[in-house]
Amino acid sequence: MLAIVIFLPLAAAALLALPRLGARAAGWIWIAATAADLALVVAMWAGYGPGRAGGFAYETRLRWIPSVRAGYHVGVDGLSLPLIAMTSLLFLLCAVYSLRRTRRPRAYAALFLFLQTVCLGLFAALDLLLFFVFFDLAIVGMYFVIVGWGHGDRARSALKFFLYTFLGSLALLLGFIGLYLAAEPHTFDMVDLTADLTADLTADLTVGPPRAGAAVLLAVGVGLAVKTPVVPVHTWLPAAHTDAPAAGSAILAGVLLKMGTYGFARIAVPMLPEQWRAYAWAVIVIGVVSVLYGALVALAQENFKRLIAYTSVNHMGYIVLALGAAGLSGGRAARELAVSGAVTQMVSHGLITGALFLITGVLWDRAGSHDLGRFGGLAGQAPVLTGVTAVAAFASLGLPGLSGFIAEFQIFTGVIGAGAVVAGALSLLGILITAALLLRALHRAFLGGPGELTGRVTDLRAHELAAIAPLLALSLAIGVAPRWLLDLIAPAASAIVNLAGR
Amino acid sequence: MNPSPWLLPALPVLPAVTGGLLLLLGRAARRAPAGVAAGVPAGVAVTAAVLTLALAVHAAVTRPATPVRLLPGTGSSGTGSSGTGSSGTGLTGDGLLANGLVVDGLSAVMVVMVAAVGLCVLVFAAGELRTARFHGLMLLFVGAMLLTVTAGDLVLLLMGWEVMGAVSYALIGYWWHDPARVRSGAVAFLTTRAADLGLYFAAGAALAGAGSWAGGAPAPDGPAGLPAPWRDLVAGGLVVAALGKSAQLPFSFWLSRAMAGPSPVSALLHSAAMVAAGAYLLLRVQPLLAATGWAADLVAWAGALTALLLGAVALAQRELKQLLAASTCAQLGFMVAAAGVAAVAGGAAQLVAHAAVKSLLFLAAGAWLSALGTETLRRLGGAGRRYPVVGLAFGVGAVALAGVPPLSLWVTKDTILGAVREPGLYAVLFAAGLLAAAYSAKALAAVWRPGPGRADARELTPWERAPLPVLALAAAGFGAVGLPGAFEAWGRLVGDPHAAAPSWGGLLLSGAAALTVSALTVSALTMSAATILVRTPAPVTPLPVGAAGAFLREWMGLERMAVVLVARPVLALAGALARFDDRVLDAAVTAAARAVRTLARTAAGLDDRGIDAGVEAVPRAGLAAARIVRAPFETGLDGLVRAVAAAAGRLGTLARRPQTGQVHLYFAQAAVALTLLAVAFALLR
């Protein structure tokens, strides 16, 4: 079933290669494939069952490159299932959003379907090489999305994105090879690496060449940090976002960034627990710096899309901070809460930032600009757009009742509760700055008197609303009644804390 | 014990969901025939408010508790955790973290008050404002406040608390065309949110101190039993959050900004909701404040100083709503101080009485503002006579606010004063009471003095008039709880069994003082007003004059201070970091990329000119060698020998040159040689 979920979009992409397929047909095939995929994921979720005490479900293990013990090994647990569900939903909504007015719709749809397979595969992968292949293919796919359908200085931004994240992935590969070599017998299998072998693994890494374990963590960490991204390796992000098409930005921020933080939670923390604990303070510092730096730089932005891109740096910083706190020695309950918050934040950020980027796409579609100062008073002629933006903005600033709060409250409480009192207190300032900058953006573009481009902006069309509203509705659902999600995450969070504590 | 567990969640959920639906569907309703649709939002809102009041009364009578747990307990049942502070009895701090919704005595009082004032305000608003957006937001606001006062743990409290702040932003900036009003909403929201961070911090500290998240029944002494540093951190966080929400010093300025919203918003925000939440929280965690010691003192003094200084600010105002706003800060100061001096019953009584008084005053002011188009004190002359119902109601409210016997605030204020043991604190609070008498009298005199009637003034609708007598009744009569006998029962109700009714001596003293000050103020104002009216229509005397008056009128420059000390530096830092991001970080990456490209070009050049040329050079060298080999046969061996000798001699001189005897040069040569070797190795491998 998991294999169908992963490869159904790719099959649909192949279908799009059929000659003489109209643009509308391509759009509908895209929507149908992503909708079917989402339905399968929902069925998987239902079948996963409540109260499952860890372990992987829907597991498949096939031989792939036996000479290096790399296999096609996939499965889901409470850490990956929410991300898989979020990914499927976001791709479906991007399909709905792109229903009209897209250049070369067939290639566009095929590219997104390919990306969907890659993203789903990455979150399901239980083998380091498989993970790495998907990781790099996602970079390739997104490069073509930006360069083919972007705007502005898209070739340069796309190239920057590609080279920067690709370089990061090479560091990641280096780290993976280190993990492979340290395990006895050598293997790329994640489950084997985290399970019984790991005790030997860390021992090997510590008795082998001096500081080999730290070097491996550094390589893996750098690779994932570029992807996440954290300060100071984030500068590819605003450029890529500014010039990417709206749906591409939504996928880039909503799904691709999660590959970095997911990698931390799935690979770095469980496979290098001793090193993670030793360098937890460094991770926490990077997290806090990303939180504050991202928020402050966002505060100074004039371009709506760049602003949201920088809030992503801020929001991903919370995740890094929380995972760093998992390596502290404070109360166990607090560390589990922090990790649970980190996973929740991955889902929540995907929903909220996806919605915000789709909203910027509406502005670009109508007026060809993201410049806050050239709009103003949009609430008058685009009340639905304004209402939707307001909800998304308040969700992004962590208002209770929406998913951002559930995630960030757990992170703050967990981080402070785990003993990082100062780091927690400093990162709290992030939600204040975020509030300030989002209210400022709301004020400048949507409230007050009309601006230069206000006249061109018409209200949301049906398919745009159909793409954005479900994201916010889900954010509201998580914000008001989060237990259906948190109860799924809790065993996974507990398992990660267990692994980190070995 | 718990007859219908869903009724309690329904209490905050009903208004919130109705409000949300109004916001969502409001536009659809607008397309319906105008005559039918116009009254629908208001009708829905009032109906929802009536039902909410019924639910609130039911909850107050039955005192239900519903275990709603938003976050899952860790370690399945929460006991398996390896916490640090879980030793001892009832010290787990669970009272702060996982209790769900609870209605105890204090909450019972609060829910009824919130629902009742909310209903009154919505009825009033039905006469004037008709959009679904307004009524939806108001219901959401009421729902958030109800959640705040029924929350049994910090998560739910924080939810209600922050949603209330966000909705207040939307309500203050209700007229969004006006940038100044939107900015006011943002100032209010950001200021209160800055303080709210204390609540987040407190939750984390409570978890750190308790070591566990989930657990059984609420601990009897709750957070007060946390181990030492955590207990103090929790208290600190809660105090900051409460001072911000209740607009105490130094946060007071946001309440001045909150006046930018419609008057019904002010009537709700300044009385039973929003600002009341801060005082409520402090009253609720009074044992924690007392346990730390310093927090109780801090709170007592913060409240007392706010009561005094903002009282002076109120006296200096020229606009009716600004006067009332400052007086809200001052009156809340009494409640905050009450939490500091362990007068929970007195503080709760003051809270309820003030809610009635202040909502009444703001509704009256709002009625005049919408009917006469002004709220400037000197233009309000004759307003009381022109609208006698409003005028009388306002009169009752103002007299109560002045602390004049036998109305409510006279008694409730004294229940707090009676609990103060420290003479300095008592003096400050007593003086603050006198200021209250002065500013109330100033407002009263402004609206009741004779003035020109306005021909264009509109009549008030019955909706706008209806709630005023009800609130006036409460404002006048609520002091009855302070009577001996009644007050002890009230104390048991709100969880303060040691409450003692105020002494008659204290009551007489403060009553007489309030009466005197009010009378003096009124006479001073009317005399000066009379003299001024004869000559020019100049202002009613602003009592404090000169620079001090201007300083007070500007709310002591508090907002300027916040702007200069916090907002501007943060914005400057943000700008600087953004430039750093573009010009240093990003530029460094680009420069690195460029450097790599240059390197690649160089390598490519080397490839063409070096290696490739080398390959081509081989045949050439072969030819040359052949020529050289041929040469000896032509010039003879003798010539060759001489040539070799000469070459050896030249090489000898060359080889002596680097032998300078200086070690660093040897190092440099070695480095160059190694680099060349490395390059050669890399290229030729």
Side-chain angles (χ1 to χ4, degrees):
Chain A
M1 185 164 188
L2 184 55
I4 302 176
V5 167
I6 296 175
F7 291 104
L8 175 74
L10 195 62
L15 191 66
L16 286 173
L18 288 178
R20 278 189 295 167
L21 203 61
R24 284 193 73 81
W28 285 109
I29 287 178
W30 184 10
I31 291 177
T34 47
D37 211 44
L38 180 62
L40 285 173
V41 172
V42 170
M44 254 172 60
W45 189 307
Y48 187 81
R52 193 187 183 91
F56 291 97
Y58 306 102
E59 208 171 342
T60 311
R61 203 164 190 168
L62 299 173
R63 284 157 59 87
W64 180 33
I65 317 175
S67 57
V68 294
R69 279 179 210 268
Y72 171 82
H73 187 185
V74 292
V76 297
D77 66 352
L79 172 58
S80 51
L81 190 51
L83 287 171
I84 287 176
M86 186 269 287
T87 302
S88 306
L89 177 70
L90 206 51
F91 272 100
L92 167 62
L93 296 178
C94 282
V96 173
Y97 178 86
S98 311
L99 198 54
R100 306 231 168 87
R101 290 200 189 206
T102 307
R103 285 170 288 143
R104 301 190 299 276
R106 271 168 61 181
Y108 192 64
L111 196 52
F112 267 82
L113 286 166
F114 164 75
L115 259 177
Q116 184 173 2
T117 288
V118 168
C119 295
L120 292 172
L122 181 128
F123 291 129
L126 292 178
D127 183 280
L128 288 180
L129 267 194
L130 195 62
F131 181 94
F132 179 77
V133 167
F134 284 133
F135 195 89
D136 266 9
L137 285 179
I139 299 174
V140 175
M142 188 47 70
Y143 169 79
F144 284 111
V145 168
I146 298 175
V147 87
W149 287 268
H151 34 66
D153 197 359
R154 61 189 191 218
R156 184 187 150 90
S157 296
L159 189 64
K160 187 177 192 175
F161 159 77
F162 182 84
L163 287 179
Y164 210 139
T165 50
F166 191 73
L167 211 62
S169 79
L170 291 185
L172 189 65
L173 182 62
L174 212 60
F176 285 178
I177 292 172
L179 287 170
Y180 167 80
L181 291 176
E184 196 57 52
H186 299 333
T187 181
F188 280 111
D189 194 274
M190 289 192 201
V191 178
D192 291 347
L193 279 168
T194 39
D196 36 351
L197 291 172
T198 335
D200 303 331
L201 175 69
T202 38
D204 278 5
L205 286 172
T206 37
V207 298
R211 297 195 171 269
V216 171
L217 179 63
L218 183 68
V220 172
V222 166
L224 296 172
V226 170
K227 191 78 178 182
T228 297
V230 298
V231 176
V233 287
H234 64 280
T235 50
W236 60 269
L237 183 78
H241 272 308
T242 317
D243 296 336
S249 278
I251 295 299
L252 177 57
V255 181
L256 264 64
L257 301 192
K258 307 303 174 303
M259 294 179 176
T261 49
Y262 174 78
F264 277 115
R266 175 67 84 203
I267 297 165
V269 181
M271 294 183 196
L272 297 158
E274 201 169 298
Q275 288 75 19
W276 189 262
R277 287 200 303 276
Y279 294 97
W281 56 270
V283 178
I284 288 174
V285 167
I286 290 172
V288 172
V289 168
S290 296
V291 162
L292 293 179
Y293 185 92
L296 281 170
V297 176
L299 182 60
Q301 298 304 315
E302 289 295 310
N303 181 310
F304 196 24
K305 229 175 162 186
R306 269 177 84 87
L307 179 144
I308 297 167
Y310 277 108
T311 63
S312 290
V313 176
N314 160 276
H315 284 131
M316 303 310 277
Y318 293 126
I319 302 179
V320 174
L321 169 67
L323 292 175
L328 294 177
S329 56
R332 186 192 162 78
R335 283 179 289 140
E336 285 185 9
L337 198 66
V339 174
S340 168
V343 181
T344 316
Q345 175 81 331
M346 291 187 215
V347 176
S348 161
H349 178 259
L351 301 175
I352 297 166
T353 306
L356 280 171
F357 274 124
L358 293 183
I359 287 166
T360 65
V362 174
L363 291 183
W364 181 269
D365 175 65
R366 309 288 196 274
S369 171
H370 293 134
D371 199 344
L372 288 172
R374 298 173 74 189
F375 296 98
L378 293 178
Q381 62 212 62
V384 178
L385 175 66
T386 306
V388 165
T389 311
V391 173
F394 275 97
S396 183
L397 63 81
L399 186 72
L402 297 157
S403 58
F405 169 78
I406 299 295
E408 285 163 16
F409 179 80
Q410 292 185 81
I411 291 175
F412 294 134
T413 312
V415 167
I416 296 173
V421 177
V422 177
L426 282 175
S427 65
L428 272 176
L429 295 174
I431 59 170
L432 184 61
I433 304 170
T434 316
L437 71 96
L438 285 166
L439 289 190
R440 182 174 157 275
L442 211 55
H443 181 176
R444 296 193 59 185
F446 291 89
L447 310 174
E452 175 196 344
L453 297 174
T454 303
R456 294 202 211 164
V457 179
T458 50
D459 212 344
L460 283 183
R461 302 199 177 94
H463 71 281
E464 291 163 342
L465 185 63
I468 299 170
L471 293 169
L472 300 178
L474 201 57
S475 178
L476 180 72
I478 295 175
V480 174
R483 290 297 292 275
W484 58 274
L485 177 65
L486 297 185
D487 287 344
L488 178 72
I489 295 173
S494 178
I496 290 173
V497 169
N498 270 339
L499 292 168
R502 282 173 312 166
Chain B
M1 175 195 166
N2 212 355
S4 38
W6 56 271
L7 273 179
L8 176 54
L11 177 59
V13 166
L14 172 78
V17 167
T18 316
L21 287 178
L22 274 179
L23 290 173
L24 270 183
L25 307 174
R27 285 187 53 74
R30 205 183 289 173
R31 285 184 213 123
V36 186
V40 168
V44 170
V46 170
T47 312
V50 169
L51 290 176
T52 305
L53 182 57
L55 282 172
V57 171
H58 180 264
V61 174
T62 59
R63 306 284 177 79
T66 307
V68 184
R69 190 174 289 168
L70 211 60
L71 305 177
T74 49
S76 64
S77 67
T79 45
S81 49
S82 58
T84 48
S86 53
S87 58
T89 52
L91 306 183
T92 55
D94 291 342
L96 276 182
L97 296 174
N99 287 328
L101 296 172
V102 189
V103 174
D104 61 1
L106 185 55
S107 293
V109 171
M110 295 294 292
V111 290
V112 174
M113 176 195 79
V114 172
V117 173
L119 176 61
C120 287
V121 170
L122 280 168
V123 168
F124 178 91
E128 183 194 1
L129 288 145
R130 284 164 179 270
T131 64
R133 179 162 62 96
F134 176 82
H135 291 284
L137 287 170
M138 287 293 270
L139 283 176
L140 211 53
F141 195 65
V142 171
M145 183 65 188
L146 286 172
L147 177 60
T148 305
V149 296
T150 52
D153 58 53
L154 273 182
V155 190
L156 292 172
L157 177 84
L158 191 46
M159 286 189 82
W161 188 273
E162 284 237 286
V163 169
M164 195 156 53
V167 178
S168 76
Y169 163 78
L171 282 169
I172 294 168
Y174 175 74
W175 288 300
W176 53 265
H177 291 282
D178 181 356
R181 291 183 200 272
V182 177
R183 205 167 300 125
S184 291
V187 167
F189 179 53
L190 291 176
T191 310
T192 51
R193 188 163 220 217
D196 291 355
L197 300 185
L199 268 182
Y200 286 89
F201 185 77
L207 179 60
S212 79
W213 177 257
D221 48 358
L226 286 171
W230 303 116
R231 186 190 63 191
D232 297 86
L233 290 176
V234 171
L238 293 180
V239 166
V240 169
L243 292 184
K245 208 67 156 184
S246 282
Q248 300 297 290
L249 288 172
F251 300 104
S252 307
F253 59 90
W254 75 263
L255 209 50
S256 164
R257 287 287 201 157
M259 288 301 112
S263 298
V265 173
S266 309
L268 189 54
L269 191 146
H270 281 252
S271 61
M274 195 77 183
V275 292
Y280 160 78
L281 177 63
L282 289 177
L283 292 173
R284 173 154 296 285
V285 300
Q286 184 271 328
L288 170 66
L289 305 179
T292 62
W294 61 268
D297 288 344
L298 174 71
V299 161
W301 277 101
L305 287 177
T306 308
L308 184 69
L309 293 174
L310 271 295
V313 168
L315 193 54
Q317 299 304 314
R318 286 173 177 166
E319 309 266 303
L320 180 54
K321 282 175 76 175
Q322 287 292 328
L323 184 153
L324 293 176
S327 91
T328 302
C329 296
Q331 292 293 322
L332 277 152
F334 283 98
M335 302 166 212
V336 170
V341 299
V344 174
Q350 167 87 358
L351 203 165
V352 176
H354 173 259
V357 167
K358 202 45 74 70
S359 54
L360 171 63
L361 291 175
F362 268 111
L363 287 185
W368 283 321
L369 177 59
S370 86
L372 300 169
T374 184
E375 50 145 336
T376 307
L377 286 174
R378 69 183 165 93
R379 297 226 181 93
L380 279 173
R385 292 159 206 245
R386 170 77 176 73
Y387 300 97
V389 174
V390 183
L392 280 173
F394 186 89
V396 172
V399 172
L401 189 63
V404 169
L407 303 188
S408 58
L409 285 175
W410 166 60
V411 183
T412 57
K413 198 184 295 169
D414 258 46
T415 59
I416 298 168
L417 280 173
V420 177
R421 298 282 164 268
E422 204 177 321
L425 194 63
Y426 186 90
V428 170
L429 283 171
F430 193 83
L434 299 186
L435 279 173
Y439 61 65
S440 307
K442 178 178 173 179
L444 192 63
V447 300
W448 271 102
R449 78 192 150 79
R454 293 264 304 260
D456 57 340
R458 74 165 169 92
E459 285 307 315
L460 294 175
T461 61
W463 290 101
E464 286 166 298
R465 278 198 295 262
L468 299 179
V470 180
L471 287 169
L473 207 62
F478 191 76
V481 297
L483 295 176
F487 195 66
E488 283 76 14
W490 171 260
R492 281 192 298 278
L493 175 66
V494 299
D496 182 12
H498 310 298
S503 68
W504 286 111
L507 279 174
L508 277 177
L509 177 64
S510 67
L515 209 54
T516 316
V517 171
S518 305
L520 282 176
T521 312
V522 170
S523 62
L525 284 176
T526 40
M527 270 198 294
S528 58
T531 51
I532 287 162
L533 274 178
V534 175
R535 283 173 285 145
T536 53
V540 172
T541 53
L543 270 183
V545 284
F551 174 70
L552 288 173
R553 207 151 37 242
E554 293 304 314
W555 289 64
M556 307 190 290
L558 286 170
E559 187 179 337
R560 273 204 71 71
M561 259 194 291
V563 167
V564 170
L565 294 180
V566 181
R568 281 215 198 117
V570 168
L571 281 173
L573 179 64
L577 283 180
R579 282 192 295 280
F580 169 79
D581 201 64
D582 282 345
R583 291 181 201 164
V584 180
L585 267 188
D586 193 36
V589 171
T590 315
R594 205 167 286 145
V596 169
R597 205 170 57 184
T598 316
L599 195 68
R601 279 220 191 96
T602 317
L606 207 64
D607 197 56
D608 284 349
R609 271 170 271 123
I611 300 173
D612 194 37
V615 171
E616 285 175 10
V618 170
R620 238 180 278 144
L623 285 174
R627 244 179 265 131
I628 290 168
V629 168
R630 213 173 52 218
F633 294 100
E634 289 169 6
T635 53
L637 269 174
D638 185 48
L640 178 69
V641 170
R642 243 184 293 132
V644 168
R650 272 204 299 280
L651 273 176
T653 6
L654 270 177
R656 262 200 308 280
R657 217 178 272 169
Q659 289 175 352
T660 55
Q662 285 168 301
V663 178
H664 68 273
L665 283 179
Y666 289 153
F667 269 121
Q669 288 156 17
V672 170
L674 275 176
T675 314
L676 285 176
L677 263 179
V679 170
F681 181 71
L683 292 175
L684 300 177
R685 194 160 59 102

